[in-house]
Amino acid sequence: MNEKYYRLISQVGGGSIALGIIVLVTGIVTGTITIINGARLLKSKKTLIF
């Protein structure tokens, strides 16, 4: 019985680490894209004429 729980905890721990890495990479990519888009908007603000 203890061996079953040991395997389950190992799998859940590995899955949590993998999920954390995926979330970290996704967050970094999303943040970078947002910063680039913001910079483009600020740059194009100079060319607007009302």
Side-chain angles (χ1 to χ4, degrees), residues 27-47:
I28 290 172
V29 169
T30 304
T32 304
I33 290 171
T34 304
I35 290 170
I36 291 171
N37 285 336
R40 285 183 185 167
L41 283 172
L42 289 175
K43 184 178 178 183
S44 68
K45 183 177 81 168
K46 296 176 185 175
T47 61

Side-chain angles (χ1 to χ4, degrees), residues 9-30:
I9 291 171
S10 296
Q11 290 175 353
V12 171
S16 294
I17 291 172
L19 184 62
I21 291 171
I22 291 170
V23 168
L24 179 68
V25 169
T26 304
I28 290 172
V29 169
T30 304

